[in-house]
């Protein structure tokens, strides 16, 4: 193979545009803001790029800027075909209209927007009841910008309660630790690093169904453990972690030692799925019905069906939120209590959340979540029926059955069945090439499947399982509300045809399927590496939690 030199397209463009013979003309035409007949008759059509890193001396017509930015954004993927993300990409027109009408409202201006704040309070109450708030307890909660902020707030409250207890007992409080599985989303480890808590990250395995192992929890807790993060819906495989089983382990530990360790449930996705599906959490308790669960978070912008920008955290009772973490704010003539990491934040998403809760009601949410589960089961069964793929997720297998038994064991669905007939979990399909397929077609790589599907506009990531399982890579599809039966049929057809194409392709041809060069913006803003060079990362996968696609 001949050697080739990297070509920088930005350097070429700059050298051509700044040719000395064009310099005078160039400056003459860009000296002032002028109107244009059409956006493409402006200087940005052929004479000058849109400024990237410095503000221009002079502005440009609104229609020209709008069109140029729109053209650049056309290079993005289509949100509805972004099957990598849990974040919602569809809302009804009436909900969108309400949000647009209230885009300018700021959640920090509580005294100025009392109606919006009333809706916020109603959302907290509705969600608390969905999560089994107990009689005699006064649930307290808040909207956040997403589950990441909510997790930090929940973790910080656990840390402060632990510190206060250690102060009362006159014991050392310098070595707090918190437990989580290596399948945790990166926000959980971020909390530990940002707030000086030792993160005890426990291995997950096929034996533990790729989720937190209660036995490992028992072996890693001590008097300095401020709490345990338990995930209701792993972003890798969709499995629900066994909240009730872990709660029982902690109950027994308290009986033996007198040490009370709380649970925070990260229900970023499952918080709006488990309450509505017939499967619930597989017949096990996961919410405030368990006394050890002190706080729960969820993302309204995931299966709460709102556009990105809203999460929720709720404590089972106000006594579990340390008083000195709550700020009394005197702002713009009003006084309010606040416990958030942000101050100003958009209020439109809160209104969108309340709209969904009232418009859909319990039965509407149930219909949507059951549809998602049904479509995820269909996709899973179709993939396994080919014999080419094995699903690591198991919401398509009968309740209690977690083993792959071959394509001949795949059963057709019936109209009467519901999610209760199957293993509980998120509507996530995590799948890989079967061992038999890899033996027959060793030249076919999963990343090639992902790359070719991207050419058809689907975004389906291929990435490794958590540390200690990273030798297994999975493709993953999140089945959201907007995955219709027609789109699902097209997706199954395209996955099969793409796989067939790769089976018939020459191994040398497949070497061409590699990610494109990073943009200059990406190179300047991030020190990260792409998938091909992940072994060069400063912090390898075997160290802690790595980023999951969410």
């Amino acid at each position: 193979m001949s050697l080739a030199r990297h070509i920088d397209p930005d350097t070429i463009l700059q050298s051509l545009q700044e040719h000395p013979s064009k310099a005078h003309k160039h400056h003459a035409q860009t000296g002032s803001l002028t109107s244009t007949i059409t956006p493409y008759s402006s200087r940005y059509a052929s004479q000058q790029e849109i400024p990237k890193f410095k503000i221009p001396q002079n502005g440009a017509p609104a229609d020209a800027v709008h069109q140029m930015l729109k053209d650049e954004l056309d290079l993005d993927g289509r949100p509805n075909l972004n099957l990598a993300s849990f974040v919602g990409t569809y809302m009804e027109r009436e909900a969108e209209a309400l949000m647009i009408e209230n885009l300018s409202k700021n959640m920090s201006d509580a005294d100025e927007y009392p109606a919006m704040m009333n809706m916020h309070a109603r959302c907290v109450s509705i969600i608390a009841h969905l999560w089994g708030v107990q009689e005699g307890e006064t649930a307290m909660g808040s909207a956040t910008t997403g589950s990441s902020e909510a997790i930090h707030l929940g973790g910080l409250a656990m840390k402060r309660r632990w510190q206060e207890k250690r102060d009362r007992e006159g014991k050392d409080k310098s070595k707090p630790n918190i437990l989580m599985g290596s399948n945790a989303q990166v926000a959980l480890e971020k909390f530990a690093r940002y707030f000086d808590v030792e993160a005890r990250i426990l291995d997950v395995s096929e034996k533990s169904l790729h989720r937190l192992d209660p036995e490992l929890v028992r072996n890693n807790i001590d008097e300095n453990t401020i709490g345990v993060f338990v995930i209701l819906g792993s972003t890798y495989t969709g499995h629900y972690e066994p909240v009730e089983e872990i709660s029982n382990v902690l109950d027994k530990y308290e009986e033996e030692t007198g040490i009370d360790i709380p649970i925070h449930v990260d229900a970023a996705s499952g918080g709006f799925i488990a309450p509505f599906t017939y499967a619930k959490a597989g017949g096990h308790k996961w919410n405030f019905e368990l006394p050890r669960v002190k706080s729960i978070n969820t993302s309204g912008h995931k299966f709460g069906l709102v556009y990105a920008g809203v999460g929720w955290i709720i404590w089972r009772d106000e006594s579990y939120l340390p008083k000195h973490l709550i700020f009394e704010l005197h702002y713009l003539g009003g006084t309010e209590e606040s416990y958030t990491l942000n101050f100003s934040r958009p209020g439109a998403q809160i209104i969108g959340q309340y709209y969904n809760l009232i418009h859909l009601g319990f039965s509407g949410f149930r219909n949507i979540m059951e549809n998602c589960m049904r479509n995820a089961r269909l996709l899973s069964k179709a993939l396994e029926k080919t014999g080419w793929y094995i699903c690591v997720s198991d919401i398509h297998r009968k309740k209690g059955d977690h083993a792959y038994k071959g394509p001949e064991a795949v059963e057709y669905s019936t109209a009467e069945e519901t999610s209760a007939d199957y293993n509980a979990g998120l509507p996530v399909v995590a799948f890989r090439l079967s061992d038999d397929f890899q033996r027959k077609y060793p030249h076919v790589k999963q990343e090639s499947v992902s790359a070719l599907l991207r050419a058809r506009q689907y975004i389906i990531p291929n990435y490794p399982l958590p540390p200690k399982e990273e030798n297994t890579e999975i493709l993953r599809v999140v089945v959201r509300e907007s995955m219709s039966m027609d789109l699902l049929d097209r997706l199954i057809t395209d996955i099969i045809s793409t796989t067939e194409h790769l089976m018939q392709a020459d191994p040398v041809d497949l070497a061409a399927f590699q990610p494109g060069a990073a943009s200059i913006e990406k190179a300047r803003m991030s020190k990260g590496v792409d998938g091909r060079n992940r072994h060069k990362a400063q912090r390898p996968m075997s160290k802690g939690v790595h980023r999951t696609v969410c």
Side-chain angles (χ1 to χ4, degrees):
M1 182 178 291
S2 60
L3 293 174
R5 180 177 296 170
H6 171 67
I7 296 174
D8 186 347
D10 287 285
T11 301
I12 293 177
L13 287 172
Q14 185 176 2
S15 64
L16 291 174
Q17 291 170 335
E18 295 182 353
H19 193 279
S21 64
K22 297 182 179 181
H24 176 74
K25 180 179 179 181
H26 172 76
H27 288 297
Q29 290 182 333
T30 59
S32 62
L33 174 63
T34 58
S35 60
T36 56
I37 299 174
T38 75
Y40 295 114
S41 65
S42 72
R43 66 179 185 267
Y44 292 131
S46 65
Q47 298 164 352
Q48 184 180 349
E49 285 187 283
I50 290 179
K52 289 189 173 82
F53 304 113
K54 291 183 179 180
I55 189 170
Q57 183 64 36
N58 300 296
D63 61 340
V65 175
H66 172 268
Q67 189 63 51
M68 296 305 114
L69 297 186
K70 181 178 181 299
D71 289 348
E72 183 173 356
L73 290 169
D74 283 343
L75 299 173
D76 280 342
R78 297 179 61 185
N80 195 41
L81 296 182
N82 179 8
L83 306 183
S85 179
F86 287 87
V87 178
T89 59
Y90 167 79
M91 291 186 74
E92 293 175 276
R93 282 180 293 180
E94 293 81 359
E96 288 182 339
L98 272 173
M99 292 178 67
I100 290 170
E101 291 162 7
N102 291 277
L103 277 178
S104 60
K105 290 186 178 179
N106 187 345
M107 278 289 291
S108 65
D109 298 346
D111 205 48
E112 282 65 35
Y113 305 121
M116 180 178 65
M117 297 309 297
N118 287 341
M119 293 182 184
H120 172 268
R122 294 171 200 164
C123 286
V124 169
S125 179
I126 291 170
I127 296 170
H129 281 94
L130 283 174
W131 292 346
V133 63
Q134 298 297 292
E135 186 175 350
E137 294 183 322
T138 305
M140 175 176 285
S142 175
T144 61
T145 54
S147 277
S148 294
E149 181 189 4
I151 287 164
H152 286 213
L153 296 175
L156 185 56
M158 289 194 294
K159 180 183 177 182
R160 290 300 170 86
R161 288 201 308 271
W162 175 82
Q163 289 175 323
E164 291 173 356
K165 183 174 183 292
R166 301 291 283 183
D167 282 338
R168 292 192 300 269
E169 297 172 348
K171 295 181 179 179
D172 176 63
K173 59 179 182 180
S174 64
K175 299 177 180 178
N177 67 71
I178 192 164
L179 272 62
M180 67 190 80
S182 60
N183 61 321
Q185 208 270 348
V186 69
L188 280 69
E189 192 189 5
K190 270 189 177 181
F191 157 75
R193 190 183 299 185
Y194 291 174
F195 291 98
D196 296 320
V197 178
E198 176 196 352
R200 294 188 175 177
I201 300 171
L202 309 183
D203 293 335
V204 301
S205 64
E206 187 175 357
K207 176 187 173 184
S208 69
L209 300 179
H210 313 284
R211 59 186 189 173
L212 188 59
D213 188 337
E215 185 176 337
L216 291 181
V217 170
R218 176 61 185 87
N219 296 336
N220 285 275
I221 50 179
D222 57 34
E223 65 177 352
N224 292 315
T225 302
I226 67 171
V228 181
F229 281 139
V230 188
I231 306 167
L232 197 74
S234 167
T235 55
Y236 285 94
T237 61
H239 287 96
Y240 289 161
E241 293 191 331
V243 185
E244 186 171 12
E245 191 175 346
I246 293 171
S247 177
N248 292 338
V249 167
L250 298 177
D251 287 345
K252 186 175 180 181
Y253 182 75
E254 183 177 7
E255 290 174 6
E256 296 170 351
T257 66
I259 298 172
D260 180 11
I261 299 175
I263 288 174
H264 173 88
V265 177
D266 172 20
S269 293
F272 272 109
I273 294 177
F276 297 111
T277 57
Y278 290 105
K280 299 189 180 297
H284 305 289
K285 295 178 181 178
W286 67 274
N287 56 21
F288 295 135
E289 294 175 13
L290 294 172
R292 198 160 294 277
V293 174
K294 308 304 184 187
S295 52
I296 305 172
N297 71 271
T298 194
S299 295
H301 57 227
K302 292 178 181 172
F303 289 92
L305 310 180
V306 183
Y307 290 139
V310 62
W312 300 93
I313 181 165
I314 296 177
W315 289 267
R316 65 180 306 128
D317 188 78
E318 57 186 353
S319 62
Y320 294 104
L321 183 55
K323 295 297 182 185
H324 70 277
L325 287 179
I326 301 174
F327 282 82
E328 185 178 59
L329 303 177
H330 300 272
Y331 184 64
L332 298 180
T335 301
E336 64 168 313
E337 290 186 333
S338 172
Y339 176 46
T340 59
L341 298 180
N342 292 323
F343 188 59
S344 292
R345 68 182 70 206
Q349 279 83 352
I350 309 301
I351 297 169
Q353 185 73 83
Y354 187 57
Y355 169 89
N356 282 343
L357 292 169
I358 299 306
H359 167 59
L360 294 172
F362 189 92
S363 61
F365 265 97
R366 167 165 281 180
N367 289 339
I368 289 171
M369 300 310 157
E370 283 291 321
N371 285 343
C372 291
M373 299 303 296
R374 188 176 297 109
N375 286 341
R377 290 197 299 270
L378 178 57
L379 175 58
S380 302
K381 291 181 178 183
L383 291 169
E384 289 196 338
K385 194 68 175 177
T386 64
W388 303 337
Y389 293 101
I390 295 175
C391 289
V392 180
S393 53
D394 61 12
I395 47 96
H396 64 296
R397 299 189 181 111
K398 291 294 184 179
K399 187 175 180 179
D401 184 4
H402 302 284
Y404 172 70
K405 297 178 180 177
E408 65 282 349
V410 176
E411 299 179 359
Y412 291 100
S413 303
T414 64
E416 296 77 21
E417 68 184 17
T418 69
S419 61
D421 299 309
Y422 294 85
N423 293 317
L426 303 181
V428 166
V429 182
F431 58 105
R432 65 175 180 85
L433 292 171
S434 68
D435 297 337
D436 184 57
F437 182 94
Q438 292 181 70
R439 281 192 296 268
K440 292 179 179 177
Y441 305 96
H443 63 287
V444 177
K445 308 299 181 185
Q446 284 180 190
E447 61 185 352
S448 299
V449 177
S450 177
L452 277 181
L453 287 171
R454 182 64 183 259
R456 301 189 185 196
Q457 301 190 65
Y458 301 106
I459 302 175
I460 299 178
N462 177 75
Y463 61 101
L465 285 174
K468 300 297 175 69
E469 292 190 296
E470 67 264 30
N471 290 333
T472 299
E473 294 188 345
I474 57 172
L475 295 153
R476 194 199 66 188
V477 171
V478 180
V479 178
R480 301 190 303 271
E481 172 192 20
S482 55
M483 174 69 79
S484 66
M485 180 62 76
D486 287 338
L487 179 56
L488 181 63
D489 177 71
R490 186 70 256 173
L491 173 64
I492 292 171
T493 300
D494 286 340
I495 292 176
I496 290 174
S497 64
T498 295
T499 308
E500 288 177 333
H501 175 77
L502 291 170
M503 292 160 63
Q504 299 163 8
D506 187 282
V508 176
D509 295 337
L510 294 183
F513 290 114
Q514 298 181 22
S519 67
I520 187 172
E521 290 86 354
K522 174 68 175 175
R524 291 192 182 193
M525 73 181 181
S526 172
K527 293 183 179 179
V529 296
D530 58 29
R532 290 175 296 164
N533 297 306
R534 59 174 176 260
H535 60 285
K536 299 179 182 178
Q538 293 182 6
R539 205 158 176 254
M541 285 184 53
S542 57
K543 300 292 185 181
V545 174
H546 58 288
R547 181 181 183 274
T548 57
V549 182
C550 54

